[in-house]
Amino acid sequence: MLFFMVSCFSFIILTKLSFFKTIPFWKNETKSFSFQDFLKTHLLRVSMTSHSFYPIKNGVITSKIQTLEEKNHLCLLDLPDLPLECILEKLSPTGLVNMSRVCKSFRTMSIQDHLWEKHLNKKWGKFLISDSVYKEWQAYIDTKKKQSFKDCSNGKGYFGFFTTIFWWKKNVTLNNTSVCLPVDSIMSWYLLLENGNFSFPAQVYNRENGNIGFLLSCYDAKVSYDSQTDCFKARYSAQGRPTTEENIKWERLRSPIVNASPYELHVSDCLTDLKPGDHFEIQWRKSKEFPYGWWYGVVGHLESCDGNKLYCQCHCSDTVILEFKQYSLGSRWREVVIDRKDHREVGNEADGFYAGIRKLYNDNEISMWKGLWPTQPLE
């Protein structure tokens, strides 16, 4: 009896919500364009490109259009599935969210994963290509599911059973518009990113607003988006005490370049290929308790070499000179020497520790580093 009363009460409430209302009919409000003309044009285009989805006679799609014209009013729901799907694919994220609140039918169509995949990849694909971000998303889903199950298990009798039906849904918003979605849907992921409610792993160039101690470096952080400023907020970890930075522009972020913890040594696979003039990134940390950051440099010539490319044999030596030309000559940070055959982590507590090396082959990566070059040499 209690379950029946709850169900009836819930139905009464839901029928008052906007997504159960039918989409308003579109009328011909201008002389230059009408919805009927739009349907004819769009259905004709679909029919021509999809090879006789509808019969065509004298340039008019007879069967469908005649049926539509017999009605006094036209509704988007009268469209066949294919044209309607084409319309939904043209909508922006905000348009899809608004469409999902019109009625139950549009809601089902507007939250489909394939419609949101392109929006997710277009705006966030730069940061979502790494395994670490995907693992973060899966962990978020698991946490929400467990929390939902826990909340539902606290219910009693029929009411507890009724609430378990909705364990997998979560309210998310875009532009102050709330939508109830499956927590593991791509639309949910997109909206959580847009609202800053999902933090993901990324790397930040010149952390802490270009602090002189971090110029030409890139550090791991957990970042979240602020749609009001179109910027990011980063949370760094250092000796167990987090540091935060706000107002980070898009161009200062990149996806993690290796799928490993910033405390793990990257195993170098390019040591035998390094030669003078090659661009590289190397892991460096101040002490054993700090995470690694990636620092930019260029392979230099040995002291015994005059730098003449015709006679240079530096690439044959077991010793490699790594130069950091952003520092002035004579600076203790200007260069470091490594063993090509047996390089792991070298350094000390005074000068820090140098670890894994990545050779840069991509011109875009190299250009990014050059664009961050300081205006004057560092000491």
Side-chain angles (χ1 to χ4, degrees):
M1 182 63 182
L2 178 59
F3 175 70
F4 177 76
M5 293 176 63
V6 171
S7 300
C8 292
F9 180 71
S10 301
F11 177 78
I12 293 172
I13 294 178
L14 291 175
T15 53
K16 300 299 183 180
L17 297 180
S18 60
F19 60 76
F20 276 87
K21 297 179 181 179
T22 304
I23 183 171
F25 293 123
W26 291 12
K27 297 182 178 180
N28 181 12
E29 297 179 353
T30 64
K31 296 181 179 180
S32 60
F33 177 80
S34 69
F35 188 53
Q36 288 92 334
D37 293 335
F38 168 78
L39 290 181
K40 291 179 182 179
T41 303
H42 197 82
L43 288 173
L44 177 60
R45 187 175 301 165
V46 171
S47 181
M48 294 176 65
T49 57
S50 48
H51 305 290
S52 71
F53 271 97
Y54 307 106
I56 301 179
K57 183 178 180 181
N58 298 326
V60 180
I61 305 171
T62 58
S63 61
K64 191 64 182 178
I65 295 300
Q66 286 176 0
T67 302
L68 294 175
E69 288 180 337
E70 290 175 357
K71 299 183 178 182
N72 295 325
H73 303 285
L74 295 179
C75 173
L76 274 179
L77 288 174
D78 291 325
L79 283 173
D81 290 342
L82 183 58
L84 189 53
E85 185 76 13
C86 292
I87 293 173
L88 292 176
E89 288 178 352
K90 299 295 183 181
L91 293 180
S92 66
T94 301
L96 284 173
V97 170
N98 290 335
M99 187 67 81
S100 70
R101 301 182 72 245
V102 172
C103 66
K104 187 176 181 180
S105 296
F106 280 148
R107 182 184 186 283
T108 301
M109 291 184 285
S110 300
I111 68 174
Q112 296 176 91
D113 281 351
H114 75 274
L115 292 175
W116 286 90
E117 282 178 357
K118 69 171 186 177
H119 294 299
L120 187 73
N121 292 329
K122 182 179 180 180
K123 184 165 186 177
W124 300 103
K126 173 184 176 181
F127 306 116
L128 305 182
I129 59 176
S130 68
D131 291 342
S132 58
V133 176
Y134 182 75
K135 291 178 180 178
E136 197 78 19
W137 172 238
Q138 293 301 311
Y140 175 88
I141 293 174
D142 292 340
T143 300
K144 290 302 179 183
K145 286 182 177 180
K146 290 177 182 178
Q147 183 62 46
S148 297
F149 273 123
K150 182 179 179 181
D151 294 342
C152 291
S153 64
N154 293 331
K156 296 181 179 180
Y158 290 112
F159 184 74
F161 172 78
F162 181 76
T163 56
T164 58
I165 298 175
F166 301 99
W167 68 266
W168 53 285
K169 293 192 175 182
K170 176 178 175 61
N171 284 314
V172 290
T173 60
L174 180 65
N175 297 337
N176 297 320
T177 301
S178 180
V179 185
C180 187
L181 295 170
V183 71
D184 56 353
S185 68
I186 294 180
M187 181 179 178
S188 176
W189 193 3
Y190 181 95
L191 298 184
L192 288 170
L193 285 165
E194 189 74 18
N195 296 329
N197 294 327
F198 176 73
S199 299
F200 57 92
Q203 293 180 334
V204 185
Y205 292 100
N206 290 2
R207 62 176 278 185
E208 298 180 26
N209 296 312
N211 183 314
I212 192 171
F214 295 105
L215 290 179
L216 286 188
S217 70
C218 198
Y219 274 80
D220 287 82
K222 280 289 192 68
V223 302
S224 57
Y225 180 63
D226 183 354
S227 59
Q228 299 297 321
T229 60
D230 193 29
C231 294
F232 294 86
K233 179 179 180 179
R235 187 172 182 267
Y236 309 100
S237 61
Q239 287 187 319
R241 184 172 59 86
T243 303
T244 60
E245 179 184 356
E246 298 182 352
N247 298 319
I248 301 172
K249 300 295 184 180
W250 285 80
E251 58 268 21
R252 286 183 55 206
L253 291 185
R254 74 178 184 184
S255 175
I257 54 176
V258 295
N259 293 314
S261 165
Y263 292 90
E264 295 180 13
L265 173 72
H266 172 65
V267 179
S268 307
D269 58 0
C270 62
L271 296 178
T272 58
D273 298 330
L274 292 177
K275 60 184 184 299
D278 284 344
H279 302 262
F280 67 87
E281 295 178 12
I282 187 170
Q283 288 178 310
W284 182 88
R285 59 181 173 181
K286 184 177 180 181
S287 69
K288 298 286 187 178
E289 292 76 24
F290 279 82
Y292 288 115
W294 291 94
W295 294 74
Y296 170 73
V298 180
V299 178
H301 292 273
L302 299 173
E303 290 186 6
S304 58
C305 179
D306 62 4
N308 189 322
K309 294 182 179 180
L310 296 177
Y311 304 102
C312 177
Q313 296 295 314
C314 294
H315 61 281
C316 299
S317 173
D318 291 342
T319 301
V320 182
I321 303 295
L322 305 179
E323 284 191 312
F324 304 93
K325 295 182 179 181
Q326 63 269 35
Y327 293 97
S328 59
L329 290 172
S331 171
R332 63 174 180 166
W333 310 109
R334 174 75 182 195
E335 66 179 40
V336 63
V337 180
I338 66 168
D339 188 329
R340 189 191 301 270
K341 288 188 175 180
D342 186 29
H343 171 66
R344 293 182 181 275
E345 185 181 61
V346 296
N348 51 58
E349 292 292 339
D351 297 329
F353 297 87
Y354 298 86
I357 300 173
R358 290 181 64 242
K359 181 178 176 179
L360 301 181
Y361 300 93
N362 190 311
D363 291 338
N364 291 332
E365 284 188 291
I366 297 172
S367 298
M368 181 64 201
W369 283 114
K370 289 182 176 180
L372 298 171
W373 202 266
T375 55
Q376 58 185 10
L378 307 175
E379 298 296 330

PDB file of all heavy atoms in Angstrom, residues 17 26 37 97 105 121 155 179 208 269 277 280 285 288 311 323 346-347 354 367 369:
ATOM      1  N   LEU A  17       6.812  18.312 -14.341  1.00  0.00           N
ATOM      2  CA  LEU A  17       8.121  18.741 -14.809  1.00  0.00           C
ATOM      3  C   LEU A  17       8.086  19.066 -16.287  1.00  0.00           C
ATOM      4  O   LEU A  17       7.307  18.523 -17.055  1.00  0.00           O
ATOM      5  CB  LEU A  17       9.167  17.655 -14.535  1.00  0.00           C
ATOM      6  CG  LEU A  17       9.395  17.328 -13.049  1.00  0.00           C
ATOM      7  CD1 LEU A  17      10.438  16.242 -12.910  1.00  0.00           C
ATOM      8  CD2 LEU A  17       9.811  18.571 -12.279  1.00  0.00           C
ATOM      9  N   TRP A  26       5.531  24.547 -34.187  1.00  0.00           N
ATOM     10  CA  TRP A  26       6.115  25.660 -34.926  1.00  0.00           C
ATOM     11  C   TRP A  26       5.130  26.097 -36.017  1.00  0.00           C
ATOM     12  O   TRP A  26       4.648  25.297 -36.790  1.00  0.00           O
ATOM     13  CB  TRP A  26       7.434  25.248 -35.577  1.00  0.00           C
ATOM     14  CG  TRP A  26       8.518  25.007 -34.590  1.00  0.00           C
ATOM     15  CD1 TRP A  26       8.410  24.889 -33.249  1.00  0.00           C
ATOM     16  CD2 TRP A  26       9.902  24.811 -34.898  1.00  0.00           C
ATOM     17  NE1 TRP A  26       9.620  24.636 -32.694  1.00  0.00           N
ATOM     18  CE2 TRP A  26      10.553  24.572 -33.682  1.00  0.00           C
ATOM     19  CE3 TRP A  26      10.640  24.792 -36.083  1.00  0.00           C
ATOM     20  CZ2 TRP A  26      11.924  24.346 -33.609  1.00  0.00           C
ATOM     21  CZ3 TRP A  26      12.003  24.566 -36.020  1.00  0.00           C
ATOM     22  CH2 TRP A  26      12.627  24.356 -34.796  1.00  0.00           C
ATOM     23  N   ASP A  37       8.390  24.405 -45.239  1.00  0.00           N
ATOM     24  CA  ASP A  37       9.469  24.509 -46.223  1.00  0.00           C
ATOM     25  C   ASP A  37      10.739  23.846 -45.704  1.00  0.00           C
ATOM     26  O   ASP A  37      11.475  23.208 -46.449  1.00  0.00           O
ATOM     27  CB  ASP A  37       9.756  25.977 -46.548  1.00  0.00           C
ATOM     28  CG  ASP A  37       8.589  26.625 -47.270  1.00  0.00           C
ATOM     29  OD1 ASP A  37       7.818  25.895 -47.908  1.00  0.00           O
ATOM     30  OD2 ASP A  37       8.456  27.860 -47.170  1.00  0.00           O
ATOM     31  N   VAL A  97      21.199  19.974 -24.110  1.00  0.00           N
ATOM     32  CA  VAL A  97      20.665  19.971 -22.745  1.00  0.00           C
ATOM     33  C   VAL A  97      19.246  20.526 -22.731  1.00  0.00           C
ATOM     34  O   VAL A  97      18.345  19.960 -22.107  1.00  0.00           O
ATOM     35  CB  VAL A  97      21.573  20.787 -21.797  1.00  0.00           C
ATOM     36  CG1 VAL A  97      20.898  20.984 -20.445  1.00  0.00           C
ATOM     37  CG2 VAL A  97      22.908  20.081 -21.596  1.00  0.00           C
ATOM     38  N   SER A 105      10.631  11.894 -25.123  1.00  0.00           N
ATOM     39  CA  SER A 105      11.199  11.378 -26.371  1.00  0.00           C
ATOM     40  C   SER A 105      12.486  12.100 -26.725  1.00  0.00           C
ATOM     41  O   SER A 105      13.499  11.480 -27.074  1.00  0.00           O
ATOM     42  CB  SER A 105      10.191  11.529 -27.517  1.00  0.00           C
ATOM     43  OG  SER A 105       9.046  10.744 -27.290  1.00  0.00           O
ATOM     44  N   ASN A 121      35.322  15.263 -27.359  1.00  0.00           N
ATOM     45  CA  ASN A 121      36.625  15.231 -28.028  1.00  0.00           C
ATOM     46  C   ASN A 121      37.045  16.605 -28.531  1.00  0.00           C
ATOM     47  O   ASN A 121      38.236  16.948 -28.491  1.00  0.00           O
ATOM     48  CB  ASN A 121      36.588  14.247 -29.201  1.00  0.00           C
ATOM     49  CG  ASN A 121      36.466  12.811 -28.740  1.00  0.00           C
ATOM     50  OD1 ASN A 121      36.949  12.452 -27.671  1.00  0.00           O
ATOM     51  ND2 ASN A 121      35.811  11.983 -29.541  1.00  0.00           N
ATOM     52  N   GLY A 155      17.389   3.089   3.093  1.00  0.00           N
ATOM     53  CA  GLY A 155      15.937   3.135   2.976  1.00  0.00           C
ATOM     54  C   GLY A 155      15.307   1.871   3.529  1.00  0.00           C
ATOM     55  O   GLY A 155      15.922   0.821   3.619  1.00  0.00           O
ATOM     56  N   VAL A 179      19.878  18.486 -15.283  1.00  0.00           N
ATOM     57  CA  VAL A 179      19.454  17.287 -15.994  1.00  0.00           C
ATOM     58  C   VAL A 179      19.849  16.070 -15.167  1.00  0.00           C
ATOM     59  O   VAL A 179      20.945  16.011 -14.615  1.00  0.00           O
ATOM     60  CB  VAL A 179      20.112  17.189 -17.393  1.00  0.00           C
ATOM     61  CG1 VAL A 179      19.568  15.997 -18.150  1.00  0.00           C
ATOM     62  CG2 VAL A 179      19.900  18.468 -18.184  1.00  0.00           C
ATOM     63  N   GLU A 208      52.951  27.954 -10.981  1.00  0.00           N
ATOM     64  CA  GLU A 208      52.884  29.056 -10.011  1.00  0.00           C
ATOM     65  C   GLU A 208      53.124  30.410 -10.671  1.00  0.00           C
ATOM     66  O   GLU A 208      53.963  31.209 -10.241  1.00  0.00           O
ATOM     67  CB  GLU A 208      53.855  28.811  -8.857  1.00  0.00           C
ATOM     68  CG  GLU A 208      53.522  27.551  -8.060  1.00  0.00           C
ATOM     69  CD  GLU A 208      54.461  27.285  -6.914  1.00  0.00           C
ATOM     70  OE1 GLU A 208      55.065  28.272  -6.402  1.00  0.00           O
ATOM     71  OE2 GLU A 208      54.599  26.117  -6.526  1.00  0.00           O
ATOM     72  N   ASP A 269      64.479   5.513 -23.235  1.00  0.00           N
ATOM     73  CA  ASP A 269      64.704   4.608 -24.360  1.00  0.00           C
ATOM     74  C   ASP A 269      65.360   5.311 -25.543  1.00  0.00           C
ATOM     75  O   ASP A 269      65.359   4.797 -26.662  1.00  0.00           O
ATOM     76  CB  ASP A 269      63.385   3.982 -24.806  1.00  0.00           C
ATOM     77  CG  ASP A 269      62.356   5.034 -25.213  1.00  0.00           C
ATOM     78  OD1 ASP A 269      62.660   6.238 -25.148  1.00  0.00           O
ATOM     79  OD2 ASP A 269      61.236   4.641 -25.607  1.00  0.00           O
ATOM     80  N   GLY A 277      72.439  19.008 -30.437  1.00  0.00           N
ATOM     81  CA  GLY A 277      71.352  19.710 -31.117  1.00  0.00           C
ATOM     82  C   GLY A 277      69.985  19.105 -30.889  1.00  0.00           C
ATOM     83  O   GLY A 277      68.973  19.746 -31.199  1.00  0.00           O
ATOM     84  N   PHE A 280      65.255  17.816 -25.738  1.00  0.00           N
ATOM     85  CA  PHE A 280      64.833  16.770 -24.810  1.00  0.00           C
ATOM     86  C   PHE A 280      64.100  17.375 -23.619  1.00  0.00           C
ATOM     87  O   PHE A 280      64.140  18.594 -23.383  1.00  0.00           O
ATOM     88  CB  PHE A 280      66.043  15.969 -24.309  1.00  0.00           C
ATOM     89  CG  PHE A 280      66.985  16.775 -23.440  1.00  0.00           C
ATOM     90  CD1 PHE A 280      66.773  16.881 -22.060  1.00  0.00           C
ATOM     91  CD2 PHE A 280      68.074  17.436 -24.000  1.00  0.00           C
ATOM     92  CE1 PHE A 280      67.627  17.632 -21.258  1.00  0.00           C
ATOM     93  CE2 PHE A 280      68.927  18.191 -23.204  1.00  0.00           C
ATOM     94  CZ  PHE A 280      68.702  18.284 -21.836  1.00  0.00           C
ATOM     95  N   ARG A 285      64.054  16.734  -9.780  1.00  0.00           N
ATOM     96  CA  ARG A 285      63.387  17.052  -8.513  1.00  0.00           C
ATOM     97  C   ARG A 285      64.407  17.583  -7.518  1.00  0.00           C
ATOM     98  O   ARG A 285      65.591  17.233  -7.567  1.00  0.00           O
ATOM     99  CB  ARG A 285      62.664  15.834  -7.945  1.00  0.00           C
ATOM    100  CG  ARG A 285      63.527  14.616  -7.659  1.00  0.00           C
ATOM    101  CD  ARG A 285      62.640  13.505  -7.127  1.00  0.00           C
ATOM    102  NE  ARG A 285      63.365  12.228  -6.968  1.00  0.00           N
ATOM    103  CZ  ARG A 285      62.794  11.112  -6.530  1.00  0.00           C
ATOM    104  NH1 ARG A 285      61.507  11.123  -6.196  1.00  0.00           N
ATOM    105  NH2 ARG A 285      63.489  10.003  -6.415  1.00  0.00           N
ATOM    106  N   LYS A 288      64.512  13.872  -2.701  1.00  0.00           N
ATOM    107  CA  LYS A 288      63.828  12.588  -2.862  1.00  0.00           C
ATOM    108  C   LYS A 288      62.357  12.665  -2.467  1.00  0.00           C
ATOM    109  O   LYS A 288      61.551  11.856  -2.908  1.00  0.00           O
ATOM    110  CB  LYS A 288      64.524  11.529  -1.999  1.00  0.00           C
ATOM    111  CG  LYS A 288      65.977  11.260  -2.371  1.00  0.00           C
ATOM    112  CD  LYS A 288      66.078  10.467  -3.658  1.00  0.00           C
ATOM    113  CE  LYS A 288      67.516  10.053  -3.931  1.00  0.00           C
ATOM    114  NZ  LYS A 288      67.651   9.237  -5.160  1.00  0.00           N
ATOM    115  N   TYR A 311      83.022  17.015 -38.339  1.00  0.00           N
ATOM    116  CA  TYR A 311      83.977  16.187 -37.613  1.00  0.00           C
ATOM    117  C   TYR A 311      83.482  15.782 -36.222  1.00  0.00           C
ATOM    118  O   TYR A 311      84.194  15.113 -35.487  1.00  0.00           O
ATOM    119  CB  TYR A 311      85.314  16.930 -37.470  1.00  0.00           C
ATOM    120  CG  TYR A 311      85.885  17.375 -38.797  1.00  0.00           C
ATOM    121  CD1 TYR A 311      85.775  18.705 -39.209  1.00  0.00           C
ATOM    122  CD2 TYR A 311      86.517  16.477 -39.636  1.00  0.00           C
ATOM    123  CE1 TYR A 311      86.288  19.116 -40.432  1.00  0.00           C
ATOM    124  CE2 TYR A 311      87.042  16.883 -40.864  1.00  0.00           C
ATOM    125  CZ  TYR A 311      86.920  18.200 -41.257  1.00  0.00           C
ATOM    126  OH  TYR A 311      87.437  18.598 -42.468  1.00  0.00           O
ATOM    127  N   GLU A 323      72.445  20.446 -21.923  1.00  0.00           N
ATOM    128  CA  GLU A 323      72.532  21.885 -21.681  1.00  0.00           C
ATOM    129  C   GLU A 323      71.153  22.492 -21.432  1.00  0.00           C
ATOM    130  O   GLU A 323      70.166  22.114 -22.082  1.00  0.00           O
ATOM    131  CB  GLU A 323      73.170  22.588 -22.885  1.00  0.00           C
ATOM    132  CG  GLU A 323      74.675  22.403 -22.981  1.00  0.00           C
ATOM    133  CD  GLU A 323      75.283  23.337 -24.022  1.00  0.00           C
ATOM    134  OE1 GLU A 323      74.754  23.401 -25.145  1.00  0.00           O
ATOM    135  OE2 GLU A 323      76.288  23.994 -23.701  1.00  0.00           O
ATOM    136  N   VAL A 346      70.830  10.796 -11.245  1.00  0.00           N
ATOM    137  CA  VAL A 346      72.107  11.351 -10.798  1.00  0.00           C
ATOM    138  C   VAL A 346      71.855  12.690 -10.131  1.00  0.00           C
ATOM    139  O   VAL A 346      70.922  13.412 -10.486  1.00  0.00           O
ATOM    140  CB  VAL A 346      73.082  11.527 -11.979  1.00  0.00           C
ATOM    141  CG1 VAL A 346      73.447  10.180 -12.584  1.00  0.00           C
ATOM    142  CG2 VAL A 346      72.506  12.449 -13.050  1.00  0.00           C
ATOM    143  N   GLY A 347      72.698  13.042  -9.159  1.00  0.00           N
ATOM    144  CA  GLY A 347      72.571  14.328  -8.497  1.00  0.00           C
ATOM    145  C   GLY A 347      72.804  14.233  -7.004  1.00  0.00           C
ATOM    146  O   GLY A 347      73.272  13.216  -6.480  1.00  0.00           O
ATOM    147  N   TYR A 354      68.588  14.439 -11.356  1.00  0.00           N
ATOM    148  CA  TYR A 354      68.196  14.305 -12.754  1.00  0.00           C
ATOM    149  C   TYR A 354      67.886  12.841 -13.029  1.00  0.00           C
ATOM    150  O   TYR A 354      68.652  11.960 -12.645  1.00  0.00           O
ATOM    151  CB  TYR A 354      69.314  14.785 -13.680  1.00  0.00           C
ATOM    152  CG  TYR A 354      69.668  16.247 -13.510  1.00  0.00           C
ATOM    153  CD1 TYR A 354      70.587  16.652 -12.542  1.00  0.00           C
ATOM    154  CD2 TYR A 354      69.075  17.220 -14.310  1.00  0.00           C
ATOM    155  CE1 TYR A 354      70.916  17.998 -12.376  1.00  0.00           C
ATOM    156  CE2 TYR A 354      69.398  18.564 -14.163  1.00  0.00           C
ATOM    157  CZ  TYR A 354      70.323  18.943 -13.193  1.00  0.00           C
ATOM    158  OH  TYR A 354      70.637  20.276 -13.039  1.00  0.00           O
ATOM    159  N   SER A 367      58.342  23.880 -30.270  1.00  0.00           N
ATOM    160  CA  SER A 367      57.874  25.268 -30.408  1.00  0.00           C
ATOM    161  C   SER A 367      57.213  25.759 -29.129  1.00  0.00           C
ATOM    162  O   SER A 367      57.343  26.937 -28.762  1.00  0.00           O
ATOM    163  CB  SER A 367      56.892  25.382 -31.575  1.00  0.00           C
ATOM    164  OG  SER A 367      57.516  25.048 -32.794  1.00  0.00           O
ATOM    165  N   TRP A 369      57.956  24.866 -26.045  1.00  0.00           N
ATOM    166  CA  TRP A 369      59.010  25.197 -25.087  1.00  0.00           C
ATOM    167  C   TRP A 369      59.683  26.517 -25.453  1.00  0.00           C
ATOM    168  O   TRP A 369      59.949  27.363 -24.587  1.00  0.00           O
ATOM    169  CB  TRP A 369      60.044  24.075 -25.027  1.00  0.00           C
ATOM    170  CG  TRP A 369      59.623  22.877 -24.251  1.00  0.00           C
ATOM    171  CD1 TRP A 369      59.388  21.614 -24.729  1.00  0.00           C
ATOM    172  CD2 TRP A 369      59.390  22.800 -22.841  1.00  0.00           C
ATOM    173  NE1 TRP A 369      59.017  20.770 -23.717  1.00  0.00           N
ATOM    174  CE2 TRP A 369      59.014  21.469 -22.536  1.00  0.00           C
ATOM    175  CE3 TRP A 369      59.449  23.728 -21.799  1.00  0.00           C
ATOM    176  CZ2 TRP A 369      58.708  21.053 -21.247  1.00  0.00           C
ATOM    177  CZ3 TRP A 369      59.143  23.310 -20.510  1.00  0.00           C
ATOM    178  CH2 TRP A 369      58.776  21.996 -20.242  1.00  0.00           C
TER     179      TRP A 369
END
